[in-house]
Amino acid sequence: MYTQSFNVPDSPGAKTVALAPSTEDPALQAAFDARIDADGRIEPQDWMPEAYRKTLVRQISQHAHSEIVGMLPEGNWISRAPSLKRKAILIAKVQDEGGHGLYLYSAAETLGTSRDQMLDGLHSGRAKYSSIFNYPTLTWADVGVIGWLVDGAAIMNQVPLCRCSYGPYARAMVRVCKEESFHQRQGYEALLVMMTGTAEQKAMVQDAVNRWWWKCLAMFGPPDADSPNSAQGMRWGIKRVSNDELRQKFVDATVPQAKVLGVTLPDPDLKWNEERQHYDYGQIDWNEFWETVNGNGPCNKERLATRVKAHNEGQWVRDAALAHAAKKQAMKEAA
Amino acid sequence: MTTALKEWPLWEIFVRSKQGLEHKHCGSLHAADAAQALEMARDVYTRRQEGVSIWVVESKAITASNPDEKGELFDPAADKIYRHPTFYEIPDEVGHM
């Protein structure tokens, strides 16, 4: 499960959710602020500032889209998994991602936006999703590395979201995080098995790590100094831990895992800093990151096209289910 | 691109995690009818044996209290501390009661 830890604005022209006219009554605002300051939770029917609502709709729907699009790079490997066991595991993981998308869409819907509006945002290309899925999964080792590193990075992001000030989002994240641990462990274990294999298989793991490492570090979003919206997210209790802090936690947790696995992480500047009691790491290529966020990554077009095709080709199923339900209802009424 | 859709209605899902426990709200989903909602709830919320029984209720059938009236609605219970066992002082020698 996957989130971009920061809020990317959706493309211009994004429809904002139709909302009741903003009252921004100072008394209501004060009550809201007091609840946030007391680390309380906001529920769907409670008054909330329009900006808080909009931020949540954008963040939760982007998060949901990421889950759904995230099914694609791994789904590519279901038919090519090396054994029945790995195939069953991968199917279960991809199914989880679909479920995570559903929990998140449901959470966003409580804010007054419809599922169709959100899907339309995704399918028309206005809404963003995690840029990590705009890279290809070239070998079977990529599937393992996605579990280990991409899901590992996502878990770092998502655990603090379980304490998000918006109740439905926090509850969805609790459910997601419970399921997430399996994702990371299955990926890491698949790589452990490959590392007991031939020289080619080991090289395949190292190659996949080399290609994904920097992209995973970028998943945490721009450095804190370049994240002007983070402060507001923190103020609202939506974001609990800063991008750089999360990234550091991820690096510190991953280095020993890489050692056990027997791979190197492709960063010559990666070394333990005794003074900071953390690992130092090198410069992330933010130009490449923003290029991908802005639609120019290697798989942006393919991912979106696959998603739209699946949705359109499922239209008759959705229509048939509704028609069937209406027919059964009519028969029941006639009886 | 995407055509205008009729959305499937929204359902609230309640799952009994094991015999002897109550059904507990665990989330919501869209489904064409109750039978499909049940099937989808099984697939979404009980993939890891989280349940032995599922209820589905169409969301629009739920009547909820108004959060703006939370004060008046729950206020009558606020000053009745004598409804709690800790209100009563019992000598230590009595032991657990």
Side-chain angles (χ1 to χ4, degrees):
Chain A
M1 130 80 65
Y2 317 100
T3 172
Q4 216 139 227
S5 73
F6 66 108
N7 249 301
V8 191
D10 286 336
S11 300
K15 257 186 287 178
T16 44
V17 188
L19 296 161
S22 163
T23 51
E24 306 297 354
D25 178 314
L28 291 172
Q29 178 74 48
F32 173 87
D33 290 343
R35 191 179 298 182
I36 295 281
D37 289 341
D39 201 20
R41 294 292 179 267
I42 308 298
E43 294 295 341
Q45 304 305 319
D46 294 335
W47 184 89
M48 63 187 88
E50 287 312 314
Y52 176 83
R53 184 187 298 272
K54 268 193 197 163
T55 299
L56 280 171
V57 166
R58 193 175 58 216
Q59 180 170 335
I60 303 172
S61 61
Q62 283 184 6
H63 195 159
H65 299 329
S66 301
E67 301 291 345
I68 300 301
V69 177
M71 297 165 82
L72 301 177
E74 291 182 297
N76 279 343
W77 279 93
I78 289 175
S79 61
R80 293 177 287 166
S83 68
L84 186 57
K85 174 182 138 185
R86 293 291 166 193
K87 186 187 293 232
I89 291 170
L90 190 55
I91 290 173
K93 179 180 190 297
V94 172
Q95 192 186 14
D96 274 358
E97 307 299 1
H100 296 176
L102 182 139
Y103 307 153
L104 288 159
Y105 282 129
S106 297
E109 281 173 77
T110 63
L111 291 158
T113 180
S114 77
R115 182 79 58 97
D116 283 351
Q117 276 176 314
M118 289 185 275
L119 288 180
D120 191 50
L122 174 66
H123 295 160
S124 64
R126 288 192 311 270
K128 301 287 187 210
Y129 54 86
S130 180
S131 57
I132 196 83
F133 303 116
N134 290 318
Y135 297 100
T137 38
L138 300 180
T139 71
W140 172 250
D142 288 49
V143 175
V145 168
I146 285 183
W148 173 36
L149 295 180
V150 176
D151 288 278
I155 291 170
M156 287 288 172
N157 266 328
Q158 287 166 346
V159 168
L161 284 173
C162 297
R163 293 182 289 119
C164 168
S165 61
Y166 188 58
Y169 192 24
R171 290 192 288 275
M173 292 317 301
V174 169
R175 194 171 288 281
V176 164
C177 285
K178 264 189 206 160
E179 299 183 350
E180 202 65 40
S181 159
F182 139 64
H183 296 182
Q184 190 183 19
R185 289 172 68 105
Q186 66 79 33
Y188 189 70
E189 193 244 15
L191 297 176
L192 280 172
V193 171
M194 286 185 83
M195 291 302 284
T196 64
T198 63
E200 284 89 341
Q201 287 168 327
K202 290 182 199 174
M204 207 184 266
V205 174
Q206 184 62 60
D207 168 64
V209 170
N210 292 348
R211 282 182 289 107
W212 288 96
W213 173 248
W214 288 104
K215 296 166 178 60
C216 289
L217 291 193
M219 277 174 75
F220 294 94
D224 296 345
D226 304 330
S227 308
N229 295 329
S230 280
Q232 183 62 74
M234 294 261 192
R235 173 69 189 84
W236 278 331
I238 297 173
K239 191 168 174 55
R240 298 285 188 180
V241 186
S242 84
N243 295 353
D244 285 334
E245 248 177 283
L246 288 168
R247 186 163 23 239
Q248 184 69 61
K249 263 179 97 167
F250 174 70
V251 172
D252 291 347
T254 308
V255 171
Q257 295 165 359
K259 206 167 286 170
V260 173
L261 188 58
V263 295
T264 56
L265 299 171
D267 178 0
D269 298 324
L270 186 68
K271 55 177 178 296
W272 179 252
N273 183 326
E274 188 58 37
E275 197 182 316
R276 291 200 309 127
Q277 290 290 301
H278 289 294
Y279 283 94
D280 290 336
Y281 53 91
Q283 272 296 322
I284 296 166
D285 183 352
W286 292 110
N287 285 336
E288 191 213 335
F289 173 77
W290 285 115
E291 273 296 296
T292 309
V293 168
N294 292 325
N296 303 317
C299 300
N300 294 56
K301 288 187 179 64
E302 184 193 329
R303 296 285 185 246
L304 201 55
T306 308
R307 187 55 226 138
V308 169
K309 181 167 177 273
H311 185 76
N312 288 344
E313 290 182 354
Q315 183 65 50
W316 72 270
V317 179
R318 294 189 293 277
D319 291 344
L322 268 184
H324 179 66
K327 195 169 109 185
K328 271 205 309 195
Q329 184 64 31
M331 281 165 69
K332 207 166 123 192
E333 277 159 17
Chain B
M1 199 103 190
T2 44
T3 49
L5 295 177
K6 262 195 297 171
E7 273 200 350
W8 285 350
L10 190 64
W11 301 76
E12 299 302 321
I13 313 302
F14 300 81
V15 170
R16 183 201 295 284
S17 59
K18 67 176 200 188
Q19 215 63 17
L21 295 182
E22 73 277 45
H23 286 77
K24 208 173 150 192
H25 183 244
C26 68
S28 51
L29 52 77
H30 289 274
D33 60 18
Q36 195 196 23
L38 269 179
E39 239 170 67
M40 290 175 47
R42 179 204 59 187
D43 291 345
V44 174
Y45 292 109
T46 63
R47 284 200 302 282
R48 292 181 174 80
Q49 299 178 292
E50 292 96 333
V52 294
S53 164
I54 302 173
W55 289 349
V56 299
V57 181
E58 214 176 328
S59 306
K60 67 179 184 201
I62 291 179
T63 307
S65 63
N66 182 347
D68 295 339
E69 291 160 12
K70 197 157 48 183
E72 306 93 279
L73 192 63
F74 297 108
D75 180 62
D79 58 355
K80 297 180 178 60
I81 49 171
Y82 47 83
R83 286 176 171 166
H84 297 277
T86 45
F87 179 72
Y88 303 93
E89 290 217 18
I90 305 289
D92 286 348
E93 62 204 85
V94 176
H96 178 72
M97 179 184 274

